């Protein structure tokens, strides 16, 4: 039996017409949590934002850095009391270290792996077939047209934090080996 599990990244907006509504797992980057001020007293805006994903689980790289830990725990405290059924997942610190060590051993030089790259690795460990859409780290498409960083905004990572082009090359290599399927053409 084929089971479709949809992961989305960086609290991406969803809609029925363009990207679909199904969401089983959504990443929240701790840098996005910064935009929600005073979470303990005002959890409403963040709660409203994650409610669009229904019963999807939320995953955060809480232990990638001390600042991420502080922000992720703050988000957990804000989200969990009002919705105790909500599953908030933190990547294990030992998993993140092992993953970082593995990829650095294979030539990846970024300071930290991107959340997207982390979750693609998790999917490769858990799923028989992995298809990735929209993982394109360049500011132009294959026809040399300008592109935003995400389909929903143009906020890229801080310079020097991630090595998105290198991550892309590793994913492209996995694609060429048949380990995963990269979809690079525009979705219709």
């Amino acid at each position: 039996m084929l089971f479709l599990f949809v992961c989305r990244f960086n609290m991406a907006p969803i809609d029925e017409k363009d990207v679909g509504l199904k969401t089983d797992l959504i990443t929240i980057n701790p840098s996005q949590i910064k935009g929600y001020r005073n979470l303990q007293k005002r959890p409403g805006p963040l709660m409203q934002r994650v409610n669009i994903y229904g019963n999807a689980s939320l995953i955060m790289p809480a232990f990638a850095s001390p600042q991420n830990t502080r922000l992720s725990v703050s988000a957990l405290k804000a989200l969990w009391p009002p919705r105790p059924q909500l599953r908030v997942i933190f990547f294990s610190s030992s998993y993140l270290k092992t993953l970082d060590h593995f990829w650095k051993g294979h030539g990846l030089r970024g300071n930290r792996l991107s959340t997207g790259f982390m979750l693609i690795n998790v999917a490769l460990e858990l799923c028989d077939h992995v298809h990735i859409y929209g993982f394109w780290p360049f500011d132009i498409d294959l026809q040399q047209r300008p592109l935003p960083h995400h389909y929903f905004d143009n906020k890229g990572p801080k310079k020097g934090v991630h090595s998105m082009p290198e991550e892309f090359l590793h994913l492209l290599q996995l694609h060429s080996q048949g380990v995963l399927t990269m979809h690079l053409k525009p979705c219709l």
Side-chain angles (χ1 to χ4, degrees):
M1 175 166 51
L2 183 65
F3 179 69
L4 181 65
F5 192 86
V6 177
C7 302
R8 298 186 188 272
F9 302 95
N10 298 326
M11 291 197 301
I14 57 175
D15 64 66
E16 200 163 357
K17 180 180 170 256
D18 294 319
V19 297
L21 297 174
K22 181 172 176 48
T23 306
D24 296 294
L25 184 67
I26 184 78
T27 66
I28 300 178
N29 192 313
S31 65
Q32 294 174 297
I33 298 168
K34 286 182 189 177
Y36 295 93
R37 303 283 183 230
N38 203 1
L39 275 176
Q40 305 310 237
K41 291 182 182 174
R42 295 187 52 236
L46 180 60
M47 182 64 67
Q48 185 176 7
R49 183 73 181 92
V50 301
N51 278 342
I52 66 168
Y53 305 111
N55 290 325
S57 297
L58 310 174
I59 189 165
M60 294 182 263
F63 304 115
S65 73
Q67 180 180 346
N68 282 12
T69 304
R70 188 175 60 257
L71 290 167
S72 297
V73 168
S74 176
L76 173 64
K77 287 179 180 178
L79 295 171
W80 214 18
R83 281 191 60 197
Q85 77 282 9
L86 184 66
R87 291 174 307 278
V88 178
I89 304 162
F90 291 168
F91 281 102
S92 156
S93 60
S94 62
Y95 177 78
L96 293 178
K97 286 177 189 172
T98 301
L99 192 62
D100 186 63
H101 180 72
F102 173 82
W103 283 109
K104 285 193 172 153
H106 285 81
L108 200 57
R109 294 174 299 205
N111 285 346
R112 280 198 318 258
L113 301 175
S114 70
T115 308
F117 194 73
M118 290 175 197
L119 197 53
I120 289 168
N121 278 271
V122 170
L124 288 170
E125 293 182 45
L126 299 175
C127 304
D128 292 331
H129 305 283
V130 175
H131 292 258
I132 58 175
Y133 299 82
F135 200 93
W136 183 258
F138 311 108
D139 57 2
I140 57 171
D141 68 11
L142 294 170
Q143 287 73 41
Q144 306 299 311
R145 294 177 295 211
L147 280 176
H149 184 69
H150 298 116
Y151 71 83
F152 54 91
D153 72 23
N154 201 19
K155 295 177 187 172
K158 291 180 186 175
K159 297 283 185 211
V161 175
H162 303 306
S163 183
M164 302 290 239
E166 283 185 46
E167 290 180 358
F168 175 80
L169 290 175
H170 284 284
L171 293 172
L172 193 57
Q173 183 178 19
L174 293 172
H175 170 82
S176 69
Q177 295 168 342
V179 175
L180 57 75
T181 304
M182 289 184 89
H183 298 271
L184 299 177
K185 294 182 180 180
C187 298
L188 300 176

